[in-house]
Amino acid sequence: MRARRTSFWLTVLGLWLVAGPLPAADEVNIYSARKEDLIKPLLDKFTSKTGVKVNLVTGKEDALLMRLKSEGPNSPADLLLTSDAGRLHRAQEAGVLAPVDSAVLKKLIPAHYRDPQGHWFGLSVRARPMAYVTQRVHANELSTYEALADRKWKGRICIRSSDNIYNQSLVASMLAHRGVEATEAWAQAFVANFARPPVGGDRDQVLAAAAGQCDVVVINTYYLAAMLNDKDPAQREAARKLTVYWPNQNDRGTHVNVSGIGLTTAARHRANAIRLMEFLAGDVAQAWYAEVNHEYPIRPNLAPSKTLAAFGKFKPDGLSLHLLGQYNAEAVRLMDRAGWK
Ligand SMILES: [Fe+2]
């Protein structure tokens, strides 16, 4: 059996040597900061629909951006996929993203979820509300992000560190709405209420709250949704102790962010790349994202997953998300001054 298989491959190799390599394949190359299993099935769907092969390189956000920068015009990447508007803005600032003018993308993606000049486009929405321990807090004790600065929350709040781009984007949104002075005064008082120096990711805040270390956490909802659907009963039990609270419903709305995509300046498969962007913004891909990743679809007319729907409807902040990038550096400095580790 093995010998027969070997001879088959030798024949293939022989044919290849005679005929030369296949003509440049219909393909597109993507650098992705999303975990492979959260994007690969979608890319496979695209390939089976269009015949365009997708070569996926997965890596950490900062490493991928560094790589794009150092490869410059020689980069094989056509697309950069990342999980926060702040990062997309950084890539844009670094000069590695090219503007795209696509009527399809403009139609499919609301204006505040894409760069005004087309350097990047949001593909899924993630909300960053609060969650409270149902046994120790009542919903009517909560109202806004601002109100978490109240002394009554002293030693009761868990949130991850200021290194984290999600928190930087949350603070950037406050800077955009309320200015430096108000945001800084808030940050000082908010940090003073932390139950512990920030440690771990969003899931760790939920675990800490469930274990009694704190009463309120600020997290992206897909983490809580993933925990509720986790194979590990410890994760499920911890998540079940918390209830989502949608802050700022009577003013600007709850802070949201996007995962998104941009065409690189080095792109050699431009047409295929734009086709893939349009596919990812389309209904099929959006429904998959919603179900598997527990993120909100980029358009409000599409349904979220059952778990997300159970967290309730909410009013999202309508801020144009390119501002999260513009205010990022200021947000980082402000969090540092406030002692947010
Ligand atoms: Fe995340």
Side-chain angles (χ1 to χ4, degrees):
M1 189 64 183
R2 175 168 290 181
R4 197 184 287 173
R5 196 174 286 168
T6 306
S7 77
F8 167 77
W9 285 113
L10 283 174
T11 310
V12 170
L13 180 67
L15 287 171
W16 184 77
L17 287 173
V18 172
L22 291 168
D26 213 3
E27 61 184 0
V28 60
N29 301 326
I30 178 163
Y31 282 3
S32 167
R34 308 215 69 164
K35 284 203 196 92
E36 185 168 338
D37 51 346
L38 294 185
I39 185 74
K40 182 78 171 47
L42 264 186
L43 302 177
D44 291 343
K45 272 188 215 277
F46 174 73
T47 301
S48 62
K49 191 180 157 200
T50 61
V52 176
K53 186 176 167 225
V54 184
N55 304 305
L56 176 67
V57 171
T58 305
K60 294 255 186 242
E61 314 251 4
D62 292 334
L64 287 178
L65 180 53
M66 287 267 285
R67 185 166 163 182
L68 264 180
K69 276 203 271 191
S70 66
E71 288 169 347
N74 299 319
S75 176
D78 298 303
L79 290 166
L80 175 68
L81 186 76
T82 169
S83 63
D84 182 284
R87 304 256 189 202
L88 291 161
H89 184 84
R90 271 183 210 168
Q92 179 182 348
E93 295 265 279
V96 298
L97 297 182
V100 168
D101 187 15
S102 153
V104 175
L105 290 176
K106 279 187 190 157
K107 193 176 140 231
L108 293 177
I109 303 169
H112 58 291
Y113 292 150
R114 50 182 157 85
D115 172 53
Q117 282 114 42
H119 288 91
W120 54 262
F121 296 83
L123 290 177
S124 63
V125 176
R126 43 263 306 279
R128 194 162 182 76
M130 303 155 193
Y132 60 93
V133 180
T134 321
Q135 273 197 336
R136 296 196 293 274
V137 177
H138 193 275
N140 65 16
E141 294 176 76
L142 292 162
S143 58
T144 60
Y145 296 105
E146 283 83 345
L148 290 182
D150 193 287
R151 282 172 138 209
K152 78 172 174 190
W153 298 111
K154 185 135 192 96
R156 299 174 68 191
I157 294 168
C158 283
I159 188 166
R160 69 199 291 179
S161 84
S162 61
D163 290 348
N164 173 257
I165 191 103
Y166 304 149
N167 284 339
Q168 293 169 10
S169 288
L170 170 63
V171 173
S173 78
M174 292 177 86
L175 277 169
H177 282 290
R178 311 199 55 224
V180 181
E181 235 169 88
T183 306
E184 183 148 4
W186 167 79
Q188 298 276 357
F190 178 58
V191 171
N193 287 341
F194 288 1
R196 55 175 190 174
V199 58
D202 280 5
R203 280 181 188 244
D204 297 301
Q205 313 314 314
V206 174
L207 293 172
Q213 273 193 283
C214 40
D215 296 335
V216 177
V217 300
V218 179
I219 49 157
N220 287 356
T221 49
Y222 58 83
Y223 287 111
L224 194 64
M227 289 177 85
L228 287 168
N229 291 288
D230 204 289
K231 280 193 279 280
D232 178 359
Q235 293 268 324
R236 293 200 302 272
E237 272 159 38
R240 273 197 220 114
K241 292 187 177 167
L242 279 80
T243 305
V244 170
Y245 182 84
W246 299 107
N248 298 77
Q249 293 303 283
N250 296 321
D251 49 57
R252 65 180 181 271
T254 297
H255 172 62
V256 290
N257 207 324
V258 288
S259 79
I261 198 163
L263 181 77
T264 68
T265 43
R268 282 187 206 102
H269 308 94
R270 204 186 146 91
N272 286 343
I274 294 173
R275 214 167 155 197
L276 177 55
M277 292 165 97
E278 291 171 353
F279 171 80
L280 291 173
D283 282 0
V284 171
Q286 286 295 314
W288 188 89
Y289 255 137
E291 211 42 57
V292 179
N293 292 2
H294 296 296
E295 288 178 80
Y296 295 93
I298 201 72
R299 290 180 292 289
N301 62 317
L302 299 165
S305 71
K306 247 192 206 157
T307 309
L308 282 197
F311 294 160
K313 286 206 165 114
F314 69 102
K315 173 173 124 184
D317 186 344
L319 189 73
S320 182
L321 294 193
H322 76 285
L323 291 170
L324 300 184
Q326 276 184 24
Y327 282 98
N328 179 270
E330 181 73 57
V332 171
R333 285 194 297 271
L334 187 150
M335 293 161 97
D336 191 46
R337 289 197 298 271
W340 189 331
K341 295 274 189 278

